[in-house]
Amino acid sequence: MKRREFIEKTAASTALLSLGLSLSSFESNDIKHLTVLHTNDVHSHIDPFPADDPRNANKGGVSRRAALIETIRKENPNVLLLDAGDIFQGTPYFNYYGGELEFKLMSMMKYDASTIGNHDFDNGLDGLYAQMPHATFEFINSNYDFKNTVMNGLVKPYKIFNKNGIKVGVFGLGIELNGLVDKKMYKETVYNDPVEIAQDMTQKLKKEEKCDLIVCLSHLGYNYKNDESKICDLKLAELTQDIDLIIGGHTHTFLDKPTIVKNKAGENVLVNQVGCYGINLGRIDFYFDKNKAHTNQGKSIIV
Amino acid sequence: MVKLKKYNGFLKLFVIFLTLFFIFSCSQKNYNLTKIEGKQLPVTEKANETPEIENFIKPYRDHINKDLDSILAYCPETLDKSTGKWQTTIGSLMADVCLQRGNLVFKTREKKDIDLCLLNHGGIRAILPKGNVTTRTAYEIMPFENSLIVLALSGNQILEIASYIIKEKKPQPLAGMTFTISKENTAKNILIQGKPVDVSKTYYVVTNDYLANGGDNMNFFLKASAKFDLNYKIRNVLIDYFKEVDTIPVKNDVRITVE
């Protein structure tokens, strides 16, 4: 009786041991694949553009975007779905429902997070606050201080997503509100310097939290040709380090392909933006390797 | 037998130790980013619909369409901003309506009357077509979220308004003010509410928040001595007006005369 118990336990332990060993040895050669999908400046464009639209005929539409995302999820379930702000304003859906439908649909598509754009203040802080129960995804912004507003505690400065063992640190940057948004809309929201905040965030996410990948969700704008002094995504990429990807918005910039910028440490940063109105979905695939042989190899970027 | 039991306990601990050791040693190693691929996927009619999403949107869409397409008034002829050198039928209508409906709010709050209204020609985004007028018409004419602002201007700034209109050569929507463009291309006979402009007087001018902040180079608005936000969106001004009237009047009166 007791002897049988002993044999069973020993066998079980051996099995567990070998499983542990084989798992760890398998892991060290494993290639992990993370797909980041992103939108920006969708501006309440829930329906596709009509067939007679002079510029964007038959483009966009949430229902089609959802199908596209679903296809990609079937191909690789390891997806991080993000939005770079200005979810609100642009069609009667917003005027009638104040953003309720936008948030509910993004929740149905399983968005992981969004940052906050200037138009997301269009119904004031109270208007944004009222829609928060409809969002199951995170709101991430690091340089707006909402401490003295109703939004206090509802917006995270950063969030670490664990995607199949890959630690992805996401932080968010918003544009200067003064002069762009009516003060009565943003009230006591304090705007802090995006570059300084980005440095704090990368310090935290890379050095302390040891994230494998750092993504910045930005609503600063791609670049400003007529205003050299204004902070933008291209400048942010140059002035910082440890950011792997900047997903931008605000300027409704259509790019042929993601832009590669050298950061402060001479490393490549990807800056992307996909226009506006849900016409496009951005897709960036990241491949990670644990194999030590690759440790000193540089990463290849195909765009 | 007793010894065996003890041995079992040790084995358990040993297994736990090993398991923890392997988990720990795994988490020590970071992943190396080796390859990045970036592309843009267009969302077009080639993509399938998602029935679940489509069914979810439908009641919202139906409600909006029903509301937007409900008939509010009738327009006997198409009002267009492209016909008229110094004034247009749609511009004069919009300026009159903003003056009249803005004054309802201003009078209640400030116990004063608005003297004139100036908007911008570029701010009219669509025609008012002949036939049934709906809420959708108001959204098309005024898709932006601009609202009414009343500014206190001196008589001198009223003169600047006239000069601005002459310089810009556009039929800017104007109400409560008339003037004549002389042969020398200057403003004369400037009348406010039918009375000659008085440079020492304060006038209350209603406009939109974009222009009140100096948009379209209407810099005279930046010199206002007082500013009153009516919290009244121009689109809602139009909708309220359409609900109030049965047939839209065609404003053909001459507000700016050319000598």
Side-chain angles (χ1 to χ4, degrees), chain A residues 2 6 13 16-17 21 24 27-28 32 46-47 58-64 66-67 72 89 93 95-97 100-101 104-105 108 165-166 184 210 212-213 244 255 270 274 278-290 295 299-303, chain B residues 1 4-5 7-8 11-12 14-15 18-19 22 25-27 29-54 56-57 59-61 63-64 67-68 135-136 139 143 145 147 209 229 231 233 235:
Chain A
K2 289 279 179 192
F6 168 71
S13 310
L16 191 71
L17 252 175
L21 275 169
S24 70
E27 286 273 297
S28 65
K32 298 229 176 191
I46 287 163
D47 294 327
N58 293 319
K59 288 181 181 173
V62 168
S63 172
R64 294 163 178 175
I72 296 164
Q89 191 72 264
Y93 282 110
N95 305 99
Y96 278 74
Y97 298 105
E100 176 194 322
L101 188 57
K104 281 183 171 173
L105 292 171
M108 286 173 83
I166 302 287
K184 74 181 181 214
K210 307 223 179 323
D212 299 302
L213 190 77
D244 296 285
L255 298 169
L270 231 54
V274 289
I279 288 170
N280 296 306
L281 178 69
R283 174 177 183 165
I284 317 278
D285 288 285
F286 293 94
Y287 297 88
F288 296 86
D289 204 326
K290 253 193 173 176
T295 313
K299 59 191 176 203
S300 66
I301 303 178
I302 307 158
V303 290
Chain B
M1 287 303 177
L4 247 176
K5 255 188 184 174
Y7 181 62
N8 263 343
L11 193 74
K12 254 185 216 164
F14 181 68
V15 170
L18 272 183
T19 315
F22 282 118
S25 60
C26 279
S27 66
K29 277 184 260 169
N30 261 43
Y31 284 95
N32 295 308
L33 185 53
T34 50
K35 192 171 81 169
I36 307 170
E37 273 180 280
K39 58 184 156 195
Q40 185 171 278
L41 310 169
V43 180
T44 64
E45 65 254 67
K46 282 176 201 142
N48 293 324
E49 302 278 346
T50 313
E52 189 199 357
I53 298 268
E54 202 45 40
F56 192 82
I57 299 170
Y60 290 86
R61 184 191 292 135
H63 170 77
I64 291 174
D67 195 66
L68 283 177
T135 307
R136 193 184 294 280
Y139 269 90
E145 300 304 304
S147 58
D209 49 356
D229 187 347
N231 295 305
K233 283 183 186 173
R235 188 192 308 118

Side-chain angles (χ1 to χ4, degrees), chain A residues 111-145:
Chain A
Y111 267 79
D112 291 286
S114 173
T115 194
I116 295 171
N118 49 304
H119 280 290
D120 299 319
F121 292 91
D122 278 6
N123 277 347
L125 283 168
D126 295 324
L128 180 59
Y129 176 78
Q131 302 308 333
M132 294 305 278
H134 303 305
T136 56
F137 52 94
E138 298 285 351
F139 284 86
I140 301 175
N141 176 287
S142 328
N143 70 321
Y144 291 154
D145 187 348

Side-chain angles (χ1 to χ4, degrees), chain B residues 86-99:
Chain B
W86 293 104
Q87 52 254 304
T88 66
T89 47
I90 192 169
S92 294
L93 177 78
M94 277 186 72
D96 284 354
V97 171
C98 286
L99 178 57

Side-chain angles (χ1 to χ4, degrees), chain A residues 23-84:
Chain A
L23 256 180
S24 70
S25 55
F26 172 70
E27 286 273 297
S28 65
N29 291 317
D30 187 21
I31 289 172
K32 298 229 176 191
H33 176 196
L34 171 75
T35 302
V36 175
L37 298 178
H38 63 95
T39 48
N40 59 277
D41 300 275
V42 178
H43 283 294
S44 306
H45 281 264
I46 287 163
D47 294 327
F49 280 88
D52 61 353
D53 188 88
R55 206 177 289 173
N56 301 312
N58 293 319
K59 288 181 181 173
V62 168
S63 172
R64 294 163 178 175
R65 194 197 325 156
L68 200 57
I69 292 165
E70 214 32 57
T71 314
I72 296 164
R73 284 191 197 277
K74 275 181 194 142
E75 188 187 297
N76 177 21
N78 215 12
V79 165
L80 192 63
L81 179 55
L82 303 168
D83 187 273

